[in-house]
Amino acid sequence: MPQSSSSQVPQIKSRLGAILRATSGNFLEQFDFFLFGFYAPYIAKAFFPSQNETAALLNTFGVFWLGALMRPVGAIVLGAYIDRIGRRKGLIVTLAIMALGTVIITICPSYASIGVAAPILVLIGRLVQGFSAGVELGGVSVYLAEIATPGNRGFYTSFQSSSQQVAIFVASLLGLTLSAVMPDTEIMAWGWRIPFFIGCLIIPVIFILRRTLEETPEFLAMKKHPTANEVFASALANWRIVLLGMMLAVMTTVTFYFVTVYTPSFVEKVLLLPKKEALQVTMMVAVTNFIWNPIGGALSDRIGRKPVLLAITALSLVTAYPALAWLTADPTFGKLIVVGMMFSMYFGVYSGTMLGALVEIVPSHVRTTCFSLAFALAAGLFGTFTPFAATGLVALTGNKASPGLWLMCAAACSMAGALMIYRGGRTIETREAVAA
């Protein structure tokens, strides 16, 4: 077990600057992830042609999900690297890998040009992105937690999620602009690639920001850093905490991918509302997500993680399906805003709380690995599966509100995780320390 000492350890010069540099990589990750979901119908036509539009869309969301299954692999491999080498160096490496995946998808020729090689290249790009994303969120969250001032860990870690909302807002704004200046036929043919190219142009700027990132005082204070084998062994020994952490993160990932990646296709293909309205609501959701995340983190710093986690999961459990049933019965732009704002509040407050909670329950010496693995499992098995699951549920049942059932399952899973973690008023980490 590594030991630490606070003597002669350099302190962070500017916490605001450190937050901006650390979270900049999240922008690229979420920017590309959202674009892939929003332009899924166009990507399906370009790389997964089919006579059946639903089948093509399912293929696209299937590739989206398969890429996310690489997240646990990235969490273990890159998480061990960050826990051994340092937060700063690790976050630079993850950015480089994420950038490679983004470039592959952006420049990949269509199926009409190179045949079956096109979907294979897109899948490779998604696998590379998923490998990097497996530790990007965990690495940033741990970094923010370790530079937080006393009593404000939830507030600091919440900015990891808030930073992603900026990417969604910018991507939505680009989509609206593109729709205003180009006919849909041109966007379908090649215009959808423009936002991806813009993402590639942003990469050098993010690299510059990440290179000036300072190492966290907490990591520098450790007298011994675990080897890769020690990290793997410790992560395996703490499998129960990882599993409970995954359960805790399920609602965050499922709700997030529902309100961002899946909603544009849901609005256009299921509700049959104009694409412009889907983008407008998504932009509004990004803004309110940005606000609700730090509110949730700060609130949990004051009253505790458990009450907030249980309150939001309970609300989602009883309102998710009724809200979608109300919306789909007679879809209007006004109803879409109301439901979008409701889910935004659920996601933001819960996510802002959950990130701080997850950092606190994982062992400190393998914090990045265990945090990243727990979140990667939640995102890979549940969150990024949401667009595929929701599309499939609607097609299978004919019930346009059926995705609400998937949201309810996610809420129930996270509620159970929170109850087990905070059983008896103490966290699982505290109980196991006492038992030891």
Side-chain angles (χ1 to χ4, degrees):
M1 182 73 71
Q3 297 177 353
S4 60
S5 172
S6 60
S7 61
Q8 304 303 315
V9 175
Q11 299 300 306
I12 295 293
K13 296 177 183 178
S14 169
R15 284 185 167 81
L16 177 59
I19 291 172
L20 293 175
R21 294 183 183 96
T23 57
S24 61
N26 280 320
F27 179 95
L28 177 63
E29 175 193 343
Q30 206 52 57
F31 183 81
D32 188 72
F33 272 44
F34 174 76
L35 289 177
F36 197 97
F38 178 73
Y39 289 109
Y42 305 108
I43 294 173
K45 186 175 180 61
F47 301 116
F48 307 95
S50 173
Q51 298 299 319
N52 187 307
E53 188 175 330
T54 299
L57 194 58
L58 283 171
N59 285 336
T60 305
F61 283 140
V63 169
F64 183 83
W65 179 52
L66 286 173
L69 293 182
M70 282 295 289
R71 284 186 176 223
V73 180
I76 295 173
V77 175
L78 295 177
Y81 177 80
I82 292 177
D83 280 328
R84 180 170 59 89
I85 299 298
R87 317 310 187 201
R88 176 186 175 275
K89 291 181 180 178
L91 289 176
I92 293 174
V93 170
T94 61
L95 176 60
I97 298 173
M98 174 65 69
L100 175 62
T102 299
V103 171
I104 290 174
I105 294 174
T106 302
I107 66 175
C108 180
S110 67
Y111 186 93
S113 300
I114 61 174
V116 72
I120 292 175
L121 284 173
V122 171
L123 176 59
I124 291 173
R126 285 291 303 137
L127 292 176
V128 170
Q129 287 182 324
F131 181 76
S132 171
V135 80
E136 170 69 22
L137 183 146
V140 172
S141 297
V142 168
Y143 185 92
L144 295 176
E146 291 184 354
I147 69 169
T149 54
N152 293 301
R153 177 174 281 174
F155 179 71
Y156 271 72
T157 55
S158 70
F159 281 98
Q160 181 282 130
S161 184
S162 286
S163 67
Q164 295 180 334
Q165 313 313 314
V166 178
I168 295 171
F169 180 86
V170 173
S172 301
L173 184 60
L174 283 173
L176 276 174
T177 304
L178 207 62
S179 298
V181 300
M182 292 180 68
D184 195 60
T185 52
E186 288 190 24
I187 297 176
M188 177 72 74
W190 60 273
W192 63 268
R193 293 180 186 267
I194 294 176
F196 284 91
F197 274 112
I198 292 175
C200 290
L201 295 176
I202 296 172
I203 291 173
V205 178
I206 301 176
F207 262 113
I208 293 172
L209 290 173
R210 277 277 169 96
R211 282 178 61 83
T212 58
L213 194 65
E214 301 168 85
E215 187 55 83
T216 70
E218 186 170 335
F219 183 84
L220 291 174
M222 291 183 181
K223 293 182 178 180
K224 180 181 181 299
H225 300 131
T227 65
N229 288 337
E230 289 172 339
V231 172
F232 295 148
S234 184
L236 182 62
N238 288 282
W239 66 269
R240 184 165 173 257
I241 293 178
V242 171
L243 181 61
L244 289 174
M246 178 199 75
M247 294 175 64
L248 196 67
V250 166
M251 178 166 164
T252 291
T253 61
V254 167
T255 307
F256 178 74
Y257 282 100
F258 180 85
V259 298
T260 57
V261 174
Y262 176 66
T263 290
S265 294
F266 179 70
V267 171
E268 184 181 0
K269 301 298 181 182
V270 179
L271 300 183
L272 303 179
L273 293 174
K275 185 183 301 154
K276 181 179 179 181
E277 295 185 359
L279 278 170
Q280 290 173 337
V281 171
T282 303
M283 288 179 65
M284 294 171 65
V285 165
V287 172
T288 53
N289 283 351
F290 182 88
I291 296 170
W292 283 118
N293 265 281
I295 289 176
L299 182 64
S300 68
D301 284 332
R302 301 298 177 267
I303 68 174
R305 318 287 185 219
K306 181 180 178 180
V308 182
L309 295 172
L310 293 181
I312 298 298
T313 51
L315 282 171
S316 183
L317 186 61
V318 299
T319 62
Y321 182 82
L324 287 183
W326 175 68
L327 171 62
T328 56
D330 182 25
T332 64
F333 183 57
K335 284 186 174 183
L336 184 61
I337 292 175
V338 171
V339 174
M341 292 300 98
M342 183 188 77
F343 284 129
S344 172
M345 189 272 285
Y346 291 171
F347 162 75
V349 175
Y350 186 88
S351 178
T353 302
M354 184 280 301
L355 292 171
L358 189 52
V359 168
E360 291 167 348
I361 68 170
V362 295
S364 60
H365 64 294
V366 287
R367 184 174 280 159
T368 305
T369 304
C370 289
F371 182 109
S372 299
L373 183 55
F375 198 93
L377 288 170
L381 298 177
F382 299 93
T384 50
F385 185 63
T386 295
F388 186 91
T391 302
L393 279 170
V394 173
L396 183 66
T397 64
N399 180 359
K400 296 179 179 180
S402 58
L405 301 175
W406 180 248
L407 293 169
M408 291 172 64
C409 288
C413 179
S414 290
M415 178 183 287
L419 288 171
M420 285 186 277
I421 289 169
Y422 293 98
R423 188 172 68 250
R426 293 181 296 176
T427 67
I428 182 174
E429 184 187 45
T430 303
R431 292 196 304 274
E432 291 184 356
V434 172

